[in-house]
Amino acid sequence: MSVPKSDHSSKDAEHGDTASVSSSSTDVVAHYGVKTVEATHKVYGKYSKWCLFIGLALSAYIYSLDGTTTYNYLAFATSSFGHHSLISTIQVAQSIIIAVGKPIIAKIADVTSRGTAFFVVLVFYVIGYIIIASAKSVNAIAGGIILYAIGYTGLQLLTQIIIADITTLKWRGLVSGLISLPFIINAFVGSNIATNVLNGAGWRWGYGMFAILIPVSLAPLIVTLLWAERKARRIGVVANGGVEEPSEPFLRRFLTAADKLDVFGLLLVGTSVALILLPLTLSQTAKGGWHNASMIAMIVIGCVLIPFYVLWDVKVANHPVIPRRFWLNRSVVIACVVGAFDFLSFYISFTYLYSFVIVVKPWSLLDQTYFSQTQTVALTVFGIAAGIAMRFLHRSKPLLIVGLAIRLLGCGLMIHSRGANASDAEIVWTQILQGIGGGFAATTLQVSAQASVPHADVGIVTAVVLLVTEIGGAIGTAIGGLTLVLGRLSSLLMAISLSAGAIWTNEMPKRLAVHLPFVSADERATLFGSITSVTSYPRGDPIREGAIMAYDDVMKMLTIAATAFAVVPFVVSFFIPNWYLGDQQNAVDNADLTGEKAAVPSEKS
């Protein structure tokens, strides 16, 4: 096993991490799906590879079109049932499913095949959107979004896994950036589509059309992958990857699969996170609020499940959610910490940002939708720029540090320029800066983690990093009220309950009461539950202006908390190993994309 090249000018180069990676990874045996992927490189021809690239491009396009349109519908969908404040609750549940679903999808892709895994996520995608489009209550919307989230997270993850399968380290960042290129196009195309849908057919059709578009767009990629996998097996390039065909009864095969996926461990993770975070966003609408015993019970049980999960993974699980070797891998641990805190910071300020500008800015619906895509466009452009830089620098650490510094700057400026009393240019620039920093950070972080493990672990390490990152996003949607914590240290419960979703649900009614004392409690409840009720009053009307001041107060709390949490990933990033990015699939073994012995990497690769 080759030793990765170090950055000779840096004491924190990868040598310190190599021992733990090597010693903990020597027993890694590639799953059937991984062996099949390596085998398909030997059967792909010129035209079939073009089919693969076109399929990837189509899947990337529909993924970005989804992300740039459906986000805008949720505020209107929940408002149509009078439950706008439940946005954070729904997004917390969505984030948990997106997080927990990643290791499951990754293991399905490893133990079966990439093509099979794509087909599974397609089914969840379509069913989820059908349920949302036909929803007759906010509960049905939440249920549909949970199913859709499995498909959405699977598409995101599998695309990144395939990119890691077909690219060497020095090109991976650039290809990952280019696969996000449709976000630039759809920031404008998607904004126009979303505006026309909301002004015309309505949010139901906005969701429902993807039940048709997703299968059409994913079909070429799924067919190409399944064809290549079947051909590799037929000509004998791969023969079960050394894995025997299952001959046991169905129940035993099912239990074996559940063991390999560590379904029980994933249930423990998802349940504990859900029980801790959901009460924080539901406390305002639940009967009795924090005096409701079920709110406290959920948090207590959620906290108790955390050490129980750790014991399960360490002592019992044969195939734990987070393999033990990853805990000893400095690159993976730091990537998880950076990703989690970066997402935590992002979602604290972003969850209600679109609703905020709808209320406080006299922009057209199209301009509001353009604004919601500002950070996405900047993130995409500078993610590609980071990929180009990594191709020639052969390093990712310096770019990660610079990106997180810019991200912190943009987040800090948002405290002053959050929107209500700032110029349009100010609030737009805060999003551009965060996008620039986020683009550098997202691309470099993923490559750094993938570089530190052998190919057999690439899929699951990608899933683990995204799992922890998405949990950070869920916490950011629900937990993050640092400013309020500083002012209310009277009890631990109050401290943990002051959160992003909880700040909104607990503080917005209070701020509305302060700024709209002349309005009845019932009318304030209506204003709290629906942004369309607020915007029905014109600018200059006392009710609209009072609501704007309330929104401004709450957004200030969120942006201060977001900035405080953005400091953590910037500091931690200085300790990540500075891997050399060369012509290999990863930086810890001497293998090319087909799994064969490769040339030793050099500084000039």
Side-chain angles (χ1 to χ4, degrees), residues 92 96 272-282 299 471 473-476 478-479 499:
V92 166
I96 293 169
S272 63
V273 173
L275 288 175
I276 292 171
L277 300 185
L278 289 178
L280 305 182
T281 63
L282 292 170
I299 291 180
I471 289 178
I475 295 172
I479 296 180
S499 57

Side-chain angles (χ1 to χ4, degrees), residues 56-89:
L56 277 173
L58 284 173
S59 67
Y61 184 83
I62 201 64
Y63 175 81
S64 69
L65 185 63
D66 180 0
T68 52
T69 55
T70 56
Y71 166 81
N72 302 290
Y73 305 144
L74 185 58
F76 294 91
T78 53
S79 292
S80 68
F81 296 107
H83 291 290
H84 173 257
S85 62
L86 289 180
I87 286 179
S88 60
T89 304

Side-chain angles (χ1 to χ4, degrees), residues 92-129:
V92 166
Q94 179 179 343
S95 296
I96 293 169
I97 295 300
I98 286 176
V100 175
K102 283 182 166 63
I104 295 178
I105 299 298
K107 287 195 174 184
I108 289 174
D110 281 349
V111 302
T112 59
S113 72
R114 306 318 198 214
T116 302
F118 260 109
F119 182 77
V120 170
V121 303
L122 171 62
V123 172
F124 280 101
Y125 225 131
V126 173
I127 294 176
Y129 269 146

Side-chain angles (χ1 to χ4, degrees), residues 26 117 197 230 241 252 362 366 371 396 455 505 549 576 580:
T26 53
V197 166
R230 183 173 180 273
R252 178 162 296 184
L366 180 60
F371 171 78
S396 58
H455 190 192
T505 57
M549 295 305 296
I576 197 167
Y580 179 81

Side-chain angles (χ1 to χ4, degrees), residues 302-375:
C303 291
V304 169
L305 287 178
I306 293 176
F308 188 63
Y309 158 71
V310 173
L311 287 174
W312 167 265
D313 244 24
V314 172
K315 300 293 186 180
V316 181
N318 295 318
H319 306 278
V321 176
I322 303 179
R324 297 175 185 84
R325 58 186 174 275
F326 289 174
W327 292 109
L328 303 175
N329 188 318
R330 186 154 53 103
S331 293
V332 175
V333 172
I334 293 177
C336 288
V337 172
V338 170
F341 276 92
D342 184 53
F343 259 46
L344 192 158
S345 171
F346 169 76
Y347 277 106
I348 287 174
S349 63
F350 197 75
T351 298
Y352 286 99
L353 183 61
Y354 181 63
S355 300
F356 176 75
V357 298
I358 288 176
V359 169
V360 306
K361 285 294 183 182
W363 295 344
S364 67
L365 182 60
L366 180 60
D367 288 338
Q368 292 162 358
T369 310
Y370 279 152
F371 171 78
S372 71
Q373 305 303 329
T374 302
Q375 191 167 160

Side-chain angles (χ1 to χ4, degrees), residues 479-482 484-486 488-499:
I479 296 180
L482 184 60
L484 295 180
V485 172
L486 294 176
R488 303 185 184 183
L489 294 175
S490 57
S491 72
L492 176 61
L493 178 60
M494 183 61 72
I496 62 173
S497 70
L498 297 173
S499 57

